[in-house]
Amino acid sequence: MKTTIAITLAALVLGGCMSAEKQEAEARDFTRSESLLDTAQRNASVACADQMQCDKAWSLTKDYVAAHSSTSIVRADAAAIETDVPSRSGKAVYSATRVAKGSGATITLYAQCRGMYGQDRAMGSDYDDCVKQIGPAQNGFVPFLNQHLSSQ
């Protein structure tokens, strides 16, 4: 009987340690993923030099948003491209802005994902799936534009 109690207590203590270790690992992964997403957001911006180049880049941006978003475009004008809100959790949607700078503009791609965050910006139930969608799409945006603009 004493042996059974001792084994049970030891299992509970070890289980608590593993749970704390798992929570620490998840917290580190969350912090790392947030850092990667911040970098991807900063990298999802491009400057175009003149009206003609900006118009072509903006057209390509609309194509990119449509191809990557889980919902359809609901607004596309000279200043913004927006997609509809997803009906289900875990679906990434994209938007873009075009801000005039001199004779050119800065075009920036934004991303969000329903279910990505919980209360107080804590990790939501679909966080990992959302990161897998958003990071590569934002990191691929500028190379996509550069590739298509240089082939013109």
Side-chain angles (χ1 to χ4, degrees):
M1 175 87 169
K2 288 183 183 180
T3 305
T4 303
I5 293 172
I7 291 172
T8 302
L9 287 174
L12 288 173
V13 169
L14 288 174
C17 290
M18 285 191 274
S19 178
E21 288 173 4
K22 183 178 178 184
Q23 287 176 343
E24 288 175 17
E26 286 177 354
R28 280 192 307 272
D29 288 347
F30 179 70
T31 300
R32 187 177 73 242
S33 292
E34 285 293 282
S35 177
L36 292 172
L37 286 174
D38 287 344
T39 299
Q41 180 60 64
R42 283 191 304 278
N43 292 336
S45 186
V46 65
C48 46
D50 57 41
Q51 185 69 37
M52 191 167 90
Q53 184 187 42
C54 290
D55 288 346
K56 180 62 178 168
W58 192 237
S59 176
L60 289 166
T61 299
K62 184 178 176 186
D63 294 343
Y64 195 85
V65 167
H68 286 83
S69 187
S70 64
T71 61
S72 59
I73 292 174
V74 294
R75 175 185 173 198
D77 56 32
I81 299 167
E82 297 174 356
T83 56
D84 205 358
V85 176
S87 60
R88 292 190 344 241
S89 182
K91 301 295 180 183
V93 293
Y94 300 87
S95 61
T97 59
R98 179 178 174 174
V99 178
K101 302 271 181 168
S103 62
T106 299
I107 297 173
T108 305
L109 178 73
Y110 298 96
Q112 54 187 325
C113 190
R114 189 173 191 159
M116 186 168 182
Y117 295 105
Q119 284 186 308
D120 300 323
R121 200 163 163 86
M123 186 181 347
S125 60
D126 290 314
Y127 183 83
D128 291 333
D129 289 338
C130 292
V131 169
K132 290 175 187 171
Q133 295 171 65
I134 290 172
Q138 284 192 302
N139 285 324
F141 175 63
V142 172
F144 169 83
L145 289 181
N146 289 338
Q147 176 188 3
H148 287 83
L149 290 172
S150 68
S151 66
Q152 299 297 315

